[in-house]
Amino acid sequence: MINWVGSEAADFKSFDEYGLSNDFAKAGGGNDIVYGGAGSDQLFGGDGEDKLYGGIGVDVIHGDAGHDKIYGGAGADQLFGGEGADDFYIHSTDTGDYFFGQADQINDFNSDDTIWLQGNFSYGGSGNAPNPGEYTVSAQDGGWLLTYKNLGEASNVFHDVHVMGDNPLEHISFF
């Protein structure tokens, strides 16, 4: 395990050079950029407009205060935006099926936040079985289940993000 604490200035830290490790990073003030790398990482942004990248593994990422950009990466990640309007980026295959314990979870979503899905999807209504190229939002276990299906995937493959907090339906964009 690698432990790192940043300064009050804008910091850059990448754990990629350490290979597979379970890293701990606490960035200080400033607009920080932190790459967790492979492993189950714990990343904390601190104050500022931070960019936090979890990488491969089951990560826990806290944006903390500021307008943060949070990228969970592959694995069933736990994501916290904290204070401020935050952006959560979900790549096309970063997250898996909620019902198999493979989904990312956003734990404190509010109406100032945005979920960014990689690709271009149309809204397929409520439910949890969208057609290819669609996403759906439905109530699930005290929160919301955002489900999407990439074009060309097998009929039984779905990608989910479990969202705790405000309904994300009006706060989904694409990159």
Side-chain angles (χ1 to χ4, degrees):
M1 172 184 259
I2 306 298
N3 292 308
W4 174 79
V5 177
S7 69
E8 289 303 310
D11 295 310
F12 174 85
K13 179 64 178 174
S14 174
F15 290 94
D16 286 337
E17 65 186 275
Y18 303 109
L20 179 62
S21 64
N22 300 328
D23 307 311
F24 175 88
K26 181 162 180 52
N31 300 336
D32 307 304
I33 300 172
V34 179
Y35 288 88
S40 296
D41 306 312
Q42 295 180 54
L43 309 178
F44 295 83
D47 293 340
E49 296 183 9
D50 305 310
K51 293 180 181 176
L52 305 169
Y53 299 83
I56 297 171
V58 179
D59 305 309
V60 178
I61 303 174
H62 293 262
D64 296 330
H67 181 167
D68 304 308
K69 296 181 181 344
I70 299 171
Y71 302 79
D77 303 310
Q78 295 291 315
L79 311 174
F80 300 82
E83 295 177 30
D86 300 304
D87 296 318
F88 298 92
Y89 287 85
I90 310 295
H91 285 89
S92 62
T93 57
D94 278 355
T95 187
D97 194 307
Y98 174 79
F99 299 101
F100 293 111
Q102 302 165 340
D104 286 353
Q105 179 163 304
I106 299 172
N107 291 285
D108 61 349
F109 189 84
N110 68 62
S111 61
D112 293 329
D113 297 335
T114 303
I115 297 172
W116 293 87
L117 295 178
Q118 183 182 26
N120 192 9
F121 298 88
S122 59
Y123 179 59
S126 62
N128 56 14
N131 293 314
E134 292 183 341
Y135 71 93
T136 60
V137 176
S138 58
Q140 184 71 46
D141 293 334
W144 304 94
L145 192 61
L146 165 60
T147 303
Y148 61 96
K149 185 170 192 60
N150 296 309
L151 293 173
E153 288 184 320
S155 62
N156 64 339
V157 175
F158 298 98
H159 304 278
D160 298 314
V161 179
H162 192 225
V163 180
M164 299 302 290
D166 293 342
N167 186 336
L169 181 58
E170 300 298 323
H171 308 279
I172 298 170
S173 292
F174 308 97
F175 71 103

